[in-house]
Amino acid sequence: MFSKVSVVVASVLITLAAAIPNTIPVTPPTSDQCCGSVVDSSSTSAGAVLSALGIDLGGINVPVGLSCSPITVVGNNCGGVTTRCDAPEIEWGGLIAINCIPITA
């Protein structure tokens, strides 16, 4: 009797686990960048780079960094805008980084 109950309970738990959707948000990797400038993705300059690279942001307006390079040394003197970006520079060869938020501290 006990073994039948444990099989039923295990079956119910497995079924529930399979039925629950995976809703854990996936956070994109971030990296600190030194960008030449940070502009809205709807700007002409960002639009030119985005279209040249075949990137479609689906009509969303996010800050993008142009001419970015990674900051790899603590205390690095960035001659541009120090930012933290969602998409690392390696994906687009330093031309553009997505969702760049300036670091002020």
Side-chain angles (χ1 to χ4, degrees):
M1 175 72 179
F2 180 71
S3 63
K4 289 181 184 180
V5 170
S6 62
V7 168
V8 169
V9 169
S11 297
V12 168
L13 291 176
I14 291 170
T15 303
L16 285 174
I20 296 173
N22 184 3
T23 59
I24 299 172
V26 176
T27 304
T30 60
S31 62
D32 291 346
Q33 303 281 320
C34 180
C35 298
S37 62
V38 177
V39 297
D40 287 333
S41 58
S42 62
S43 72
T44 305
S45 55
V49 176
L50 288 167
S51 65
L53 294 173
I55 301 170
D56 180 15
L57 294 179
I60 61 171
N61 191 16
V62 295
V64 295
L66 301 175
S67 300
C68 298
S69 60
I71 296 176
T72 56
V73 179
V74 174
N76 184 20
N77 186 12
C78 175
V81 182
T82 305
T83 64
R84 177 156 295 138
C85 303
D86 282 346
E89 89 296 337
I90 198 166
E91 291 183 37
W92 297 296
L95 294 174
I96 196 164
I98 306 299
N99 199 24
C100 294
I101 306 301
I103 301 172
T104 58

